[in-house]
Amino acid sequence: QVQMVQSGPEVKKPGASVRVSCKASGYTFNTYDISWVRQAPGQGLEWMGWISGRNGNTNYAQKLQGRVTLTTDTSTTTAYMDLRSLRSDDTAVYYCARGGASTGYDAWGQGTLVIVSS
Amino acid sequence: QSVLTQPPLVSGAPGQRVTISCTGSSSNVGAGYDVHWYQHLPGSAPKLLIYGDSNRPSGVPDRFSGSKSGTSASLAITGLQAEDESDYYCQSYDSSLGASVFGGGTKLTVL
C-alpha cells in the first residue's frame, strides 16, 4: 500500500533552517507529483508548493518564494522540504502528500511538527 | 482570507443530511478546475474524501457525495454519524495565482 513517512519533530530558533523528509513507498515514485501543505496552530490547511515526480519542476506559494525549496531523491524515493529564515509564524505541522492541484492529494504523510521559538 | 470560502461551522443530528459549501471565483472553481474534498481529524493526516468534483476513492462510504455548479461546489453527507465529526476542506487550482488553494475549512459537529 502507498505510504508516506515523514521525519520527526523539530525545534528551531528564529532565523534557522529546517529540512523535513518524506519517504514514499508502495508506488512508482517518479510517476506522481509530491506537494507540501502546512497547518499552523488553530489555522486551516495552507499549500506550500509542488514538485513534479517526472522532471523535478517546482512551483511554490508566492508567500514562501525565496525561503522554500522542494527536492526529491529518486534513488531513495524521498522528498525533501527545506525552509529557511524561519520565523515564529512558521510554527506548524508540515505534511507531504502525493499528487497535485488538479488530481487532489490521495496519500499523506503523518505530519511533522516544526516549532520555531527563541 | 481564503480564496475558496467555506462556512466555518456546520452541525447536524445523527441520521440527518448536511451540506458544506465551497465558493470560489472565475479563476478557480468557475474556470472548471476540479474540486477535491478532505476530511481532517486534528492530530492525524487529512484524508481524500472526494476527487474530481464528485468521485469517491475506494473505501469512502457512499454517504459522502460531491457536486459543483458555476463558481461553487458542495459536499453532502447523508446519514450523519458521530464519527463524521471532523474538519472538512475543499481544494482546487487557481489560475490567477498559479497555485493550489484550500478553503478555510468547516468544522462539522454531530449533535
Side-chain angles (χ1 to χ4, degrees):
Chain A
Q1 75 281 22
V2 175
Q3 281 194 303
M4 318 282 281
V5 180
Q6 298 182 220
S7 48
E10 303 267 8
V11 179
K12 297 291 184 180
K13 293 197 181 304
S17 298
V18 69
R19 164 171 277 203
V20 178
S21 66
C22 170
K23 167 74 174 173
S25 61
Y27 71 98
T28 303
F29 185 70
N30 62 1
T31 60
Y32 286 85
D33 302 333
I34 289 183
S35 300
W36 290 82
V37 175
R38 69 180 181 179
Q39 184 177 38
Q43 303 299 309
L45 300 176
E46 178 187 15
W47 177 78
M48 300 179 65
W50 156 96
I51 182 165
S52 168
R54 284 184 296 112
N55 56 23
N57 286 349
T58 54
N59 184 28
Y60 302 123
Q62 193 169 8
K63 70 176 286 189
L64 295 173
Q65 286 275 2
R67 291 205 300 135
V68 66
T69 301
L70 302 182
T71 56
T72 58
D73 183 341
T74 55
S75 68
T76 60
T77 65
T78 301
Y80 298 94
M81 187 283 296
D82 291 293
L83 189 60
R84 301 174 290 281
S85 303
L86 288 169
R87 310 189 291 244
S88 58
D89 62 356
D90 291 318
T91 294
V93 177
Y94 289 75
Y95 295 99
C96 63
R98 187 179 79 163
S102 59
T103 60
Y105 311 119
D106 66 352
W108 294 69
Q110 80 277 20
T112 296
L113 175 62
V114 175
I115 295 173
V116 182
S117 173
S118 55
Chain B
Q1 193 162 348
S2 302
V3 171
L4 303 179
T5 301
Q6 297 180 233
L9 298 168
V10 164
S11 63
Q16 281 191 333
R17 178 181 186 270
V18 296
T19 60
I20 298 172
S21 62
C22 174
T23 302
S25 66
S26 58
S27 60
N28 42 67
V29 180
Y33 293 108
D34 284 348
V35 177
H36 318 289
W37 292 89
Y38 303 87
Q39 180 185 58
H40 187 205
L41 281 162
S44 62
K47 172 187 174 182
L48 180 64
L49 216 51
I50 297 288
Y51 68 94
D53 300 337
S54 59
N55 302 289
R56 280 187 310 278
S58 65
V60 174
D62 59 7
R63 301 187 297 105
F64 295 90
S65 63
S67 63
K68 186 173 80 176
S69 177
T71 57
S72 293
S74 289
L75 173 71
I77 310 172
T78 59
L80 206 56
Q81 299 179 3
E83 67 201 49
D84 298 332
E85 191 161 284
S86 183
D87 296 327
Y88 293 85
Y89 292 87
C90 62
Q91 175 258 317
S92 185
Y93 176 80
D94 188 283
S95 58
S96 293
L97 297 172
S100 178
V101 289
F102 283 94
T106 298
K107 181 175 180 61
L108 170 63
T109 300
V110 181
L111 302 170

